[in-house]
Amino acid sequence: MDLRLRDAVVLVTGASRGLGAAIALRLAAEGAHVVGAARSKDALDELAERGDGRITAVEADMRDEDAVAGLADEVVARHGRIDALLNNAGVAPAGRFADQDPAVWKETMAVNVIAPMLLARAAGRHMIAQGGGRIVNVASTTGVRGKPHLVAYSTSKGAVVRFTEALAAEWAAKNVQVNCLAPGAFRTDAQRAVLESPDLLRRRVARIPAGRIADPAELVPLACLLLSPLSSFTTGATFVVDGGESGKL
């Protein structure tokens, strides 16, 4: 299927590894011009080398509001437009809620909620001016159903889901579609502790009806579809991709 992404300009945050890197590479393979943003310059440069000249690396810290707010303008300055935005960067601090420093909450909200808001606002202004665009926010299954020892993360991702729905309703008439992905357990650095422990992995997999941890490539097609013009009547939706875990009673 032709996703009509050739020469589309897409900004991907958290692009240096995991889900963000996998999506960025597929977008490039589809012919898009990808601007990949993350803190890890070395990993971004490696990603750009794999992108056949279609991935531009931009070092950016999602905790820096001024830098985040200027990313969309930088993309437009480079490419003349911005067609799609993938808000993928995030942090997931684990710990007992009663013992967690409020500073952890402030950083979690800064990266997981404030940064996507700033990026969506800046990118959306360009999209509206050019006649439309697409925004995909990456939440988590913990944003749909809260998880113990990930209270700050669950709260932030729940906010991302509500943000997606509200912004989609506000910008639908502007031809800007806003959707959300809620991944479950994927083979990324975020699951490293689980993947490296046979006992933790066994217990984690036991909660997933599909009986396994997913590969990042299994999220890529849906993400690219939502970032493409083919999703022009899909907005305000949250797509849970978790092997049936959230639906398990």
Side-chain angles (χ1 to χ4, degrees):
M1 177 185 293
D2 180 6
L3 295 178
R4 293 165 54 192
L5 283 166
R6 177 158 298 280
D7 293 329
V9 179
V10 187
L11 171 60
V12 177
T13 69
S16 61
R17 58 188 181 181
L19 299 176
I23 294 168
L25 287 169
R26 178 59 178 273
L27 289 168
E30 292 285 339
H33 298 290
V34 181
V35 177
R39 284 189 294 173
S40 177
K41 185 63 164 60
D42 290 343
L44 280 175
D45 288 342
E46 181 181 341
L47 177 74
E49 289 179 6
R50 297 169 61 193
D52 294 327
R54 289 191 167 271
I55 299 178
T56 302
V58 176
E59 188 175 5
D61 188 335
M62 295 297 112
R63 297 170 298 184
D64 184 338
E65 291 189 11
D66 290 337
V68 169
L71 266 178
D73 290 342
E74 185 173 345
V75 172
V76 173
R78 288 172 180 263
H79 296 286
R81 60 187 293 113
I82 180 167
D83 298 294
L85 163 66
L86 178 70
N87 275 317
N88 171 69
V91 293
R96 291 163 54 93
F97 171 69
D99 302 328
Q100 210 159 42
D101 192 305
V104 172
W105 278 70
K106 291 178 181 178
E107 180 177 11
T108 302
M109 296 302 163
V111 175
N112 294 359
V113 182
I114 301 301
M117 176 276 292
L118 291 171
L119 280 165
R121 184 176 64 174
R125 287 170 174 166
H126 290 289
M127 292 174 184
I128 290 169
Q130 69 196 23
R134 289 150 309 277
I135 297 170
V136 176
N137 300 314
V138 178
S140 163
T141 50
T142 64
V144 179
R145 300 180 67 176
K147 189 172 184 180
H149 306 297
L150 284 171
V151 180
Y153 181 66
S154 297
T155 302
S156 70
K157 292 304 187 178
V160 169
V161 172
R162 297 286 88 82
F163 169 62
T164 297
E165 294 169 351
L167 186 58
E170 185 164 325
W171 280 356
K174 305 292 186 182
N175 194 31
V176 176
Q177 292 82 47
V178 188
N179 290 292
C180 187
L181 292 169
F186 279 75
R187 292 184 177 277
T188 65
D189 285 351
Q191 294 287 334
R192 180 179 296 174
V194 172
L195 295 170
E196 293 178 350
S197 167
D199 182 56
L200 288 177
L201 180 59
R202 177 185 56 78
R203 285 187 283 164
R204 184 70 184 88
V205 168
R207 298 200 299 269
I208 304 171
R212 61 184 177 83
I213 306 293
D215 186 86
E218 294 179 274
L219 188 69
V220 168
L222 177 57
C224 290
L225 175 63
L226 294 174
L227 291 165
S228 84
L230 298 185
S231 62
S232 58
F233 199 61
T234 302
T235 197
T238 295
F239 295 87
V240 176
V241 186
D242 68 351
E245 184 177 5
S246 296
K248 184 179 178 181
L249 296 176

